[in-house]
């Protein structure tokens, strides 16, 4: 049993993690939020109180922290008695936060792969560049490190594992499809940090095809899908974190990631990219001095968290899996639908942040009660998926499957320990029908 | 008779002015080029020599100058014995260069209206905001100041005057049409300084309609024209310098300016503008510090002068004039066609710079020989147009007219003093058939 959670970061995802942890502080204990800007953490604390999302009276506190400073981070972990750290900050701080966890023995959770600020779309293998080099270190220290437990990566990895465990004898392909059919009232905005968002698309797109890494250009390979609730969606082959771990950890010859983009998004992205405005390399200004163009684009774009009030519509994210069961070919789409407006009502965020933040909070709870407290570094597909999916069902994110037998909750097919039996007193929004 | 020319600026237009003045240094005497960056001026000097464009051995010299410094500018005018100053620099320096001319008695020539860096698309009346306030000062000092003698403003003002003098008894409307059917090998570029270029389109579009200033938004009013050589062109109602002087100095109820834009240009402009990247107001960067977005856009866009080698195709700029002659309604289009590749061969510049620079050099020659040395401040429509148009015919820019009698050189209709009789020894490219 581990108690007390330190959330690092104060953006959209961190805010959702804070709300969901607060809704479950009976199981989690004290909740601390730390980022470089204290005011942003304080604003999250206030929003938790404003929404009445603290399950029962308890500690909910904001801290200023530069998480690139390992010593300062370790000091804060110790002074707050935090046994679980949820890193929901920039992808640039994974390694330093992990070091602080190893130093203190706290469990480590993150939602995206580590990146170095000056390197864009590194060559595969991605996790192996940074995280996996520290597997032994974690095992030796007995530190639980759950990598990439947002929605994608994260829940989609659990979906892949669920498909393997429950729906297939062998899998030929997994197509992870991430679409957002929501709309907001701004001309253009990214749904999370523009710096991280655009970096995903400016380099080579790597996918796992015929058991090999295959390079493409961004927006080169397009595919339309007819999806539940959101209908026809246009997506493009995109590089993404989970492709690396799934390709290494699951015996599947084809694993691809498809992200939905509107023509408008592609147009704005293309203009900015072609002009060199998405570059992370400094340019000289006419009047002297230097500036990184991508930082300027970030400065003029709306803060992603400001989009939530006007966001309407749904996200649909899932795994289309093809393979065989009992010798017969079959396919199944395991997916979640999330409603932007419902998320905003509950925690003040849109569905993109919500779908990334809820799984991280759920992971904290599964570490707290021991289910996922494996005392080593793992990716989500290495863990039993049903405790996560069952818990998420009670925390606002349902899992459905559609195949030749129709569209239904996965819990119509599989038996799981009832979340109630794991957590006597569970807070938040239930989606179970 | 005035001698010796100081050219201020080192951009595309200044370079053409330098080449054309050098081609006529028999009439003009010494040629000096000054700008903040000495190296740019030296590069122009070298390109004049490389093209063999110095008509006869003589002074052609580069200088470093901050033209916002009136004293330094006056000192340079005196030390170079320059009696004619061609201001082909940024539109922000008109007033300081004019002060230096008034202080020294040198003639003043510019190609665009004065602007203050922090004011975009000021309300009409434009010339009256800055230049015309100094008419008395010029007259008192006996200083010749020819305002706005590029192509537009400049030659199009002379076309309007020519139409009034030669082709019409009364004029109802002048539509100035500026199209560039050329193309280059870059994704996107402005044809002159991006800072000035975009500023033209980010504010209210003012036009002179029914003898009143009429406001529109940019890209709100679209018009297609079938033009000589360049064919069908899409243009948009745009605010432009010459509308103000023509509306004040000629008795014409409707004067509009139409600029050609491709869908691609409008798309890039719209994306940048909507995102706030064309703003001249500083924004705060995520990592601290401030930057003016427009300066960053300028930093990443190609230097307009770098486009010239790959530019192909033609510009077509002219005045479509409607009115009556001998009691009958008629219309005539007075225009020029300019070939990007031919300009590049002759002076190393594309046609946009060429059409703006040649008239300024011609004006210097007309001041040098006394024809336009009026010892007061004038706009081009106040001067006799035929000496200019006749001289330009020998300097690379021909004037044609198309009306109910067909398409022909204006010199098929009008008699003018032969340029040869004005300048015994004229250099450069002749376009007379």
């Amino acid at each position: 049993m581990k108690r007390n959670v330190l959330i690092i970061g104060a953006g959209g995802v961190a805010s959702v993690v804070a709300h969901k942890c607060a809704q479950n502080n009976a199981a989690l204990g004290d909740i601390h939020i730390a980022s470089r800007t204290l005011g942003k953490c304080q604003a999250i604390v206030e929003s938790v109180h404003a929404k009445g999302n603290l399950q029962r009276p308890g500690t909910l506190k904001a801290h200023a922290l530069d998480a690139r400073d390992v010593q300062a981070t370790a000091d804060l972990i110790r002074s707050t008695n935090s046994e679980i750290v949820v890193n929901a900050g920039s992808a640039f701080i994974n390694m330093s936060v992990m070091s602080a966890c190893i130093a203190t023995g706290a469990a480590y959770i993150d939602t995206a792969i580590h990146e170095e600020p000056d390197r864009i779309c590194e060559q595969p293998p991605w996790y192996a560049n940074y995280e996996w080099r520290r597997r032994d270190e974690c095992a030796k220290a007995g530190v639980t490190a759950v990598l990439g437990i947002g929605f994608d990566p994260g829940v989609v990895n659990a979906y892949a594992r669920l498909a393997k465990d429950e729906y297939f004898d062998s899998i030929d392909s997994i197509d992870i499809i991430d679409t957002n059919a929501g709309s907001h009232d701004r001309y253009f905005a990214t749904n999370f940090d523009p710096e991280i968002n655009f970096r995903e698309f400016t380099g080579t797109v790597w996918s796992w095809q015929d058991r090999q890494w295959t390079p493409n250009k961004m927006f080169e390979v397009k595919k339309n899908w007819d999806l539940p609730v959101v209908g026809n969606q246009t997506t493009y082959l995109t590089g993404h974190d989970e492709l690396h771990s799934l390709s290494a950890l699951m015996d599947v010859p084809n694993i691809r990631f498809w992200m939905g983009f509107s023509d408008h998004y592609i147009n704005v992205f293309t203009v900015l990219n072609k002009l060199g405005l998405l570059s992370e390399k400094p340019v000289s200004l006419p009047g002297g001095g230097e500036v990184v163009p991508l930082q300027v684009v970030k400065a003029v774009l709306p803060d992603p968290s400001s989009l939530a009030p006007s966001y309407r519509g749904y996200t649909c994210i899932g795994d289309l899996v093809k393979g065989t069961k009992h010798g017969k070919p079959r396919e199944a789409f395991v997916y979640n639908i999330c409603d932007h407006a419902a998320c905003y009502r509950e925690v003040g965020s849109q569905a993109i942040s919500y779908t990334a933040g809820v799984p991280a909070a759920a992971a904290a709870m599964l570490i707290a009660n021991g289910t996922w407290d494996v005392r080593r570094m793992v990716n989500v597909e290495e863990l039993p998926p049903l405790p996560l999916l069952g818990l998420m069902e009670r925390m606002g994110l349902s899992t459905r499957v559609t195949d030749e037998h129709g569209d239904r909750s996965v819990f119509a097919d599989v038996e799981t320990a009832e979340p109630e039996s794991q957590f006597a007193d569970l807070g938040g929004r239930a989606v179970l029908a």
Side-chain angles (χ1 to χ4, degrees), chain A residues 320-334:
Chain A
L320 177 63
V321 184
K322 296 184 184 179
T324 59
K325 182 79 177 179
H326 306 313
K328 282 192 205 160
R330 70 183 308 257
E331 63 180 77
F333 183 52
V334 184

Side-chain angles (χ1 to χ4, degrees), chain A residues 290-339:
Chain A
E290 284 197 335
V291 72
V292 172
L294 181 53
Q295 294 289 331
V296 182
V297 170
K298 185 173 174 174
V300 299
L301 287 183
D303 181 342
S305 67
S306 73
L307 308 173
S310 76
Y311 235 124
R312 294 293 178 272
Y314 298 86
T315 60
C316 174
I317 316 175
D319 294 15
L320 177 63
V321 184
K322 296 184 184 179
T324 59
K325 182 79 177 179
H326 306 313
K328 282 192 205 160
R330 70 183 308 257
E331 63 180 77
F333 183 52
V334 184
Y335 70 97
N336 166 264
I337 296 290
C338 192
D339 175 355

Side-chain angles (χ1 to χ4, degrees), chain A residues 87 94 108-114 127 131 145-158 241-242 245 356 359-360 363 372 378-381 388:
Chain A
N87 169 18
N94 289 14
Y108 172 87
I109 291 169
D110 68 30
T111 65
I113 213 158
H114 182 75
Y127 279 110
E131 283 85 350
V146 179
L147 303 179
I149 174 63
F151 207 98
D152 45 335
V155 176
V156 297
N157 306 46
D241 309 18
E242 54 269 45
S245 67
W372 273 14
V378 286
N379 289 81
V380 175
E381 58 271 39
L388 174 73

Side-chain angles (χ1 to χ4, degrees), chain A residues 221-237:
Chain A
V221 188
K222 176 177 176 169
K223 211 171 173 76
N224 287 312
W225 311 91
D226 188 21
L227 300 175
V229 182
V230 298
N232 195 280
Q233 295 288 316
T234 301
T235 67
Y236 296 83
L237 196 65

Side-chain angles (χ1 to χ4, degrees), chain A residues 13 16-21 23-24 111 149-151 155 338 343 346-347 351-365 388 391-398 429:
Chain A
V13 176
V16 173
V17 174
H19 276 266
K20 301 308 289 191
C21 287
Q23 284 178 345
N24 293 285
T111 65
I149 174 63
F151 207 98
V155 176
C338 192
C343 298
E346 185 197 340
V347 300
I352 316 285
S353 302
Y354 192 88
T355 52
V358 169
M365 293 173 69
L388 174 73
L391 181 55
M392 277 170 36
E393 207 77 15
R394 307 292 307 192
M395 290 176 72
L397 293 175
S398 63
R429 168 162 69 115

Side-chain angles (χ1 to χ4, degrees), chain A residues 124-139:
Chain A
W126 303 312
Y127 279 110
N129 288 333
Y130 301 101
E131 283 85 350
W132 289 355
R133 295 185 178 181
R134 309 187 71 176
R135 275 173 168 165
D136 289 349
E137 217 182 326
C138 285

Side-chain angles (χ1 to χ4, degrees), chain A residues 207-255:
Chain A
S207 58
W208 183 250
Q209 313 222 42
D210 291 328
R211 300 186 190 278
Q212 292 187 76
W213 289 114
T214 308
N216 283 98
K217 287 183 198 145
M218 192 62 210
F219 303 124
E220 185 184 356
V221 188
K222 176 177 176 169
K223 211 171 173 76
N224 287 312
W225 311 91
D226 188 21
L227 300 175
V229 182
V230 298
N232 195 280
Q233 295 288 316
T234 301
T235 67
Y236 296 83
L237 196 65
T238 310
H240 224 244
D241 309 18
E242 54 269 45
L243 298 183
H244 179 64
S245 67
L246 289 171
S247 65
L249 301 173
M250 289 186 70
D251 180 29
V252 173
N254 299 287
I255 310 175

